Amino acid sequence: LYHGHIQAVKCLAWSPDSRYIASGGDDQTVQIWSVATGELLTTYSAHTSWVRSVSWSPVGASIASASDQTIHVWTWES
């Protein structure tokens, strides 16, 4: 079990190396999790509405997230 979002999770995406999961939800955040430990590693919060989708870049260096009217690209360093 992963505990971090304070509202419903709407989307998930595995990193290309399968070591991390990005999740987005009704709480307007994108959260990055370690698959091995279940630890919440970071939270990105710039959306003003619930996060509809998340996707990793092919090499896992960034994450794109989409909400109602915005798209954000986050730099990821493991």
Side-chain angles (χ1 to χ4, degrees):
L1 285 179
Y2 297 97
H3 299 280
H5 286 281
I6 58 172
Q7 294 180 6
V9 173
K10 295 293 187 180
C11 52
L12 295 170
W14 289 84
S15 65
D17 63 6
S18 299
R19 294 175 52 205
Y20 306 102
I21 295 174
S23 60
D26 282 351
D27 59 3
Q28 304 172 3
T29 67
V30 173
Q31 298 183 7
I32 310 301
W33 306 86
S34 166
V35 173
T37 67
E39 178 184 4
L40 174 61
L41 301 175
T42 194
T43 300
Y44 300 114
S45 55
H47 287 288
T48 58
S49 184
W50 58 279
V51 179
R52 296 174 181 259
S53 65
V54 291
S55 182
W56 292 83
S57 65
V59 295
S62 59
I63 303 150
S65 58
S67 187
D68 279 347
Q69 298 177 1
T70 60
I71 296 172
H72 290 278
V73 178
W74 314 92
T75 300
W76 168 249
E77 294 182 27
S78 58

